[in-house]
Amino acid sequence: YFDEGDREILLRGIVPDFEARGGDVDLIVYVRRYPMSAATEKGPYTISEGATKKDFRASGKVVAAKFAGSGFTRHRRHVFDTVPTGRR
């Protein structure tokens, strides 16, 4: 949750930090407006090894991310580019 669930958050992209062997990594973002509402799937967004940033847009109060790839991937610390939005 962001801000105790009072405000939504806008995700504008990710600064990936991973090491992949055997292919690219796909990012799928799941956003919800309310905890018990149905999740909206955004993506997949393909991130190549060595990419410095991947831009996309998604907003919600509850956010989850899923990374998937065909080969070995070592994830470090990913940084999401976020902006708080107004109360809804």
Side-chain angles (χ1 to χ4, degrees):
Y1 297 103
F2 175 72
D3 195 23
E4 307 260 339
D6 291 336
R7 294 171 34 175
E8 290 191 2
I9 191 165
L10 172 65
L11 289 120
R12 300 189 302 184
I14 185 173
V15 177
D17 188 8
F18 66 88
E19 176 185 337
R21 294 189 188 128
D24 299 334
V25 173
D26 289 331
L27 167 65
I28 301 171
V29 177
Y30 300 94
V31 292
R32 297 174 190 251
R33 187 142 188 214
Y34 299 103
M36 299 304 291
S37 64
T40 302
E41 183 177 306
K42 303 287 186 169
Y45 305 103
T46 302
I47 305 171
S48 302
E49 184 176 11
T52 57
K53 185 174 181 186
K54 180 68 175 181
D55 293 317
F56 61 88
R57 292 174 56 97
S59 65
K61 291 181 180 179
V62 182
V63 179
K66 176 182 173 183
F67 294 91
S70 60
F72 170 78
T73 305
R74 175 176 289 143
H75 293 269
R76 296 182 191 107
R77 175 175 261 162
H78 303 288
V79 177
F80 285 90
D81 180 11
T82 62
V83 174
T85 60
R87 299 194 190 299
R88 301 230 177 173

